[in-house]
Amino acid sequence: MHTEFDVIVVGAGHAGCEAALASARMGMSTALFSINLDTVAQMSCNPAIGGLAKGQLVREIDALGGEMAKVTDETGIQFRMLNTKKGPAVHSPRAQADKKAYQVSMKKRVESQPNLFLRQEIADNFIVDKKKVIGIIGQSGLQYKAKAVILTTGTFLKGLIHIGKFITSGGRIGELTSEKLSDSLRRLGFEVGRLKTGTPPRLNGRTIDYKALTPQYGDENPQPFSFSTEKINRSQVPCYITYTNHNTHKIVMSNLSRAPLYTGQIQSVGPRYCPSLEDKIVRFSGKDQHQVFLEPEGLNTLEIYCNGISTSMPHDVQEAIVHSITGLETTEIVRYGYAIEYDFVPPTQLQPSLETKLIENLFHAGQINGTSGYEEAAAQGIMAGINAALKIQKKEPFLLDRSEAYIGVLIDDLVTKGTQEPYRMFTSRAEYRLLLRHDNADRRLMKYGYRYGLISEQQWSKLQEKEDTITDVLTYMDKKLIGPDTLAKILSRPDCTFDHLFAIDAELCRRHLSKEVKEQVEIEIKYKGYIERQHIQVEKFKRMEDCKIPSWVDYQNISELRKEARQKLLQIRPVSLAQASRISGVSPADISILMIHLAGKGKKITDCINPEESEKAMPHQ
């Protein structure tokens, strides 16, 4: 019986699959536990991948060697680039996926991966020796040994489902939950909290009046998510838009006394940026309508997902809500919406590598860290998988900082600031978003995927060829004169695109450049000044980030620090001055005191900050 592995991943959702695949591909014998093998990589909520900032995360996962982008390209049924009327920093790809096809495709990739072993098992307890996790005890009673364990438990830790007064346990409706694992975490000394999320009703598409709705189509020339996908050739299906109305809002308001969110039945905090319908109507009482986005769940089903009306209202109220909406007057609900409460472990208890501070070799990724969304989960999963493998190999952890990737922003936000509500990624969270575009994720991150053996030689060679072409074209355009101006100067004009240059320069036309190369060249030329400015900002950030704080620093004995700052610094244990400066409750004055303390211990502060910045940061004597 095979019960000894290098890595055990508990939970086979989006985080778990990416973690297990990365670990196995780095040569680790990896076990992936799932409560039900029929639901590996299931899309628990809406059948979509990507979106604002989330699309950037998916492309970064792909650049590191993950699978989410490839599976989306294989199973997508509508592709759209969002925010195209704005600048490239906020362009974001999004795709509707065939829900069942996505799940089947990802499961097949997991099943066929060498070094990776699927197990249908519920993890109940940890085997720990001297503050190091060395295995898992399953509900079956079997003991599984491992050198590292990654928890990617989603909403399955003591999951509790609410529909009106109806309450039942479950990680998803109709599925089992893990009842003992979070208690095991508490016994080990972890703080465990409680969060809430929800899902809307699903409808029988045959009963929808589509003529009364506004269709929304995908892009005519869809852009793939994965850098290895040449082209999306499949036909796309439309989504449809409708709206709530005065009658809808009246139904909700007259039934708040039956809503679990308002009766006290639900105690935990839900997602701020994806609230339930009843929460939206109460919070935005002056708004006459809310958009309802009807998304097909797949090509081989008529089931429709109602994005925008997530609810835990009783069954009869859900019926009334749906039937009050234009186009849905006679629609049949095939699955009712519900809210789910679940345990999570506040992520300030993690190191930036996603290893827990309390128990060595134990990693957390996904909703257990307080995040929401498939994309945030998968991003954490691949990082945890890589770092678990590196830890076993006795190598330095792989850390992405805020200037390198949205993944770096995500993890830094979690481990430094924590979260009291389900965390969602936005482009506004990234200070250097002009550098962290979706279109250049391969150029930013593929070197790391290649370093860790997750990117093939073919992919790497393709990227090198692309880089050489971009450099060559930029050099040529900086030198080639058309009248008094260079090609680069002409392209920098707001009304000029790359394709306009073909009419005035035959040599450029003969190069037969790819769409991707033209895009990179055009962005680099048009936004050159802004990009250079952000690089200067990054250099300042790097100096602070490179000023490491030794693990032996005793914050309790730095008496000049305020009490709150000492408490927060002890809790977070920042690895650098930059991370310390981002901790809530740590002021600039506290950072100055910490700098002075480090200087007194032999740390050269000027190695991290230039003299002018040091003088500004130091308190007046």
Side-chain angles (χ1 to χ4, degrees):
M1 189 179 296
H2 192 177
T3 57
E4 293 191 11
F5 306 93
D6 293 320
V7 177
I8 291 175
V9 181
V10 179
H14 303 282
C17 287
E18 296 289 1
L21 286 166
S23 168
R25 289 169 178 172
M26 290 177 68
M28 301 295 106
S29 170
T30 305
L32 178 58
F33 288 3
S34 175
I35 290 177
N36 182 354
L37 292 186
D38 292 332
T39 59
V40 169
Q42 179 146 308
M43 304 179 89
S44 302
C45 203
N46 66 318
I49 296 291
L52 302 179
K54 292 170 177 282
Q56 281 86 333
L57 285 173
V58 178
R59 299 211 96 196
E60 290 180 352
I61 294 164
D62 184 69
L64 292 175
E67 290 298 304
M68 177 172 270
K70 298 182 183 69
V71 176
T72 302
D73 288 344
E74 181 183 311
T75 64
I77 57 179
Q78 188 198 99
F79 294 80
R80 292 183 66 226
M81 187 64 67
L82 306 181
N83 270 354
T84 54
K85 293 182 180 179
K86 299 181 180 180
V90 293
H91 292 178
S92 301
R94 184 185 191 272
Q96 295 296 133
D98 186 309
K99 188 173 186 175
K100 185 54 66 175
Y102 183 100
Q103 188 241 320
V104 170
S105 177
M106 185 65 85
K107 184 185 179 188
K108 184 177 180 181
R109 291 163 192 257
V110 169
E111 289 174 327
S112 58
Q113 175 62 46
N115 292 327
L116 182 49
F117 305 89
L118 270 174
R119 292 287 185 274
Q120 185 160 298
E121 177 70 277
I122 297 177
D124 272 357
N125 208 341
F126 301 95
I127 306 172
V128 176
D129 181 38
K130 297 177 181 177
K131 290 289 184 177
K132 291 184 179 182
V133 68
I134 59 171
I136 287 287
I137 301 174
Q139 190 181 68
S140 63
L142 287 174
Q143 294 192 8
Y144 301 86
K145 296 296 182 66
K147 298 172 185 174
V149 172
I150 305 173
L151 296 187
T152 64
T153 50
T155 59
F156 283 76
L157 292 181
K158 290 187 181 293
L160 200 62
I161 291 167
H162 301 262
I163 306 176
K165 290 183 178 180
F166 172 76
I167 303 174
T168 185
S169 63
R172 277 185 294 256
I173 195 78
E175 297 187 35
L176 295 174
T177 185
S178 174
E179 290 295 319
K180 296 183 179 180
L181 198 62
S182 51
D183 291 334
S184 301
L185 288 165
R186 287 187 180 92
R187 287 195 295 273
L188 289 172
F190 287 98
E191 176 193 350
V192 178
R194 196 86 169 145
L195 290 177
K196 167 256 175 189
T197 189
T199 192
R202 273 67 156 182
L203 310 179
N204 183 343
R206 181 171 53 85
T207 63
I208 294 174
D209 179 11
Y210 289 106
K211 293 179 182 178
L213 307 178
T214 304
Q216 185 181 80
Y217 298 97
D219 293 339
E220 188 174 340
N221 296 304
Q223 181 170 341
F225 267 91
S226 176
F227 293 99
S228 61
T229 303
E230 293 294 332
K231 191 175 183 181
I232 304 294
N233 293 311
R234 292 185 311 283
S235 59
Q236 301 183 68
V237 301
C239 296
Y240 291 86
I241 296 173
T242 184
Y243 296 89
T244 63
N245 51 55
H246 173 73
N247 191 26
T248 313
H249 298 193
K250 184 178 178 182
I251 292 167
V252 171
M253 292 303 292
S254 62
N255 284 280
L256 282 182
S257 60
R258 303 174 64 199
L261 270 178
Y262 291 93
T263 63
Q265 182 174 309
I266 292 176
Q267 297 289 326
S268 48
V269 179
R272 178 188 301 265
Y273 302 104
C274 188
S276 66
L277 177 62
E278 50 266 38
D279 208 15
K280 282 193 287 189
I281 289 172
V282 170
R283 285 165 54 189
F284 307 106
S285 57
K287 197 170 175 64
D288 295 330
Q289 61 181 22
H290 296 281
Q291 182 177 282
V292 182
F293 195 53
L294 301 179
E295 305 172 317
E297 297 228 334
L299 298 179
N300 298 307
T301 178
L302 293 178
E303 199 166 337
I304 300 294
Y305 180 92
C306 297
N307 196 334
I309 55 171
S310 173
T311 183
S312 58
M313 295 288 257
H315 300 89
D316 62 306
V317 180
Q318 292 193 38
E319 292 277 357
I321 288 170
V322 167
H323 295 151
S324 71
I325 297 171
T326 300
L328 309 182
E329 291 89 348
T330 60
T331 295
E332 175 192 351
I333 296 178
V334 295
R335 303 182 202 233
Y336 291 97
Y338 62 88
I340 180 168
E341 294 183 286
Y342 55 94
D343 284 351
F344 85 111
V345 181
T348 51
Q349 299 170 94
L350 298 175
Q351 300 176 37
S353 64
L354 298 181
E355 183 181 15
T356 68
K357 297 171 184 175
L358 191 58
I359 301 296
E360 192 175 350
N361 302 330
L362 177 62
F363 295 77
H364 292 178
Q367 281 181 284
I368 191 173
N369 290 338
T371 59
S372 64
Y374 309 142
E375 303 82 4
E376 288 93 337
Q380 294 170 72
I382 193 169
M383 294 298 287
I386 292 170
N387 279 318
L390 292 175
K391 184 70 185 289
I392 292 169
Q393 296 167 357
K394 301 187 185 307
K395 296 179 179 178
E396 289 295 309
F398 172 43
L399 308 178
L400 288 168
D401 68 42
R402 301 182 71 90
S403 68
E404 290 182 289
Y406 272 86
I407 295 175
V409 175
L410 166 68
I411 293 176
D412 183 63
D413 278 354
L414 292 173
V415 304
T416 304
K417 302 174 184 176
T419 185
Q420 301 299 316
E421 60 189 36
Y423 176 100
R424 179 177 177 179
M425 177 55 71
F426 290 102
T427 52
S428 59
R429 295 191 191 273
E431 302 92 323
Y432 313 111
R433 54 187 172 274
L434 182 56
L435 304 181
L436 308 184
R437 306 182 310 274
H438 81 89
D439 58 81
N440 68 354
D442 57 338
R443 302 178 68 193
R444 290 185 281 116
L445 301 180
M446 202 171 278
K447 60 188 176 185
Y448 299 120
Y450 180 68
R451 176 192 298 174
Y452 297 124
L454 303 176
I455 291 293
S456 68
E457 288 289 346
Q458 182 182 3
Q459 288 173 288
W460 182 243
S461 296
K462 183 180 175 182
L463 176 63
Q464 297 312 298
E465 183 180 340
K466 177 180 173 180
E467 288 285 10
D468 291 343
T469 303
I470 291 169
T471 301
D472 182 49
V473 173
L474 284 169
T475 301
Y476 173 76
M477 291 179 65
D478 277 335
K479 293 180 179 179
K480 180 62 184 285
L481 288 170
I482 303 293
D485 293 326
T486 65
L487 281 176
K489 180 72 172 177
I490 294 170
L491 182 57
S492 67
R493 297 170 185 167
D495 58 344
C496 184
T497 68
F498 197 100
D499 288 342
H500 288 150
L501 303 180
F502 293 143
I504 60 175
D505 188 73
E507 169 61 25
L508 199 62
C509 191
R510 283 194 290 269
R511 289 176 180 252
H512 301 293
L513 300 173
S514 69
K515 176 185 174 183
E516 291 74 24
V517 167
K518 290 188 289 184
E519 180 183 49
Q520 292 301 295
V521 170
E522 186 168 337
I523 289 172
E524 291 207 14
I525 289 175
K526 283 187 177 295
Y527 293 88
K528 183 178 180 181
Y530 298 102
I531 290 172
E532 288 176 349
R533 187 184 306 167
Q534 286 221 328
H535 278 303
I536 292 170
Q537 292 169 350
V538 167
E539 285 304 310
K540 292 180 179 179
F541 163 79
K542 290 279 191 184
R543 287 198 293 273
M544 286 280 281
E545 204 68 52
D546 289 342
C547 192
K548 302 301 180 185
I549 301 177
S551 59
W552 46 257
V553 171
D554 186 357
Y555 299 105
Q556 288 283 35
N557 287 330
I558 308 177
S559 58
E560 296 84 357
L561 288 173
R562 293 175 307 111
K563 183 177 179 181
E564 181 185 8
R566 287 200 299 272
Q567 291 173 341
K568 292 292 181 68
L569 289 164
L570 278 168
Q571 178 192 13
I572 305 299
R573 283 281 172 191
V575 297
S576 68
L577 273 181
Q579 187 186 4
S581 70
R582 294 190 292 272
I583 297 173
S584 174
V586 176
S587 70
D590 294 319
I591 296 299
S592 298
I593 291 166
L594 185 56
M595 289 167 61
I596 293 169
H597 178 80
L598 291 173
K601 296 292 184 180
K603 188 74 175 178
K604 292 183 179 179
I605 298 300
T606 52
D607 289 347
C608 310
I609 307 172
N610 66 38
E612 183 180 347
E613 289 168 337
S614 292
E615 186 177 344
K616 290 179 181 178
M618 294 292 186
H620 294 294
Q621 299 298 320

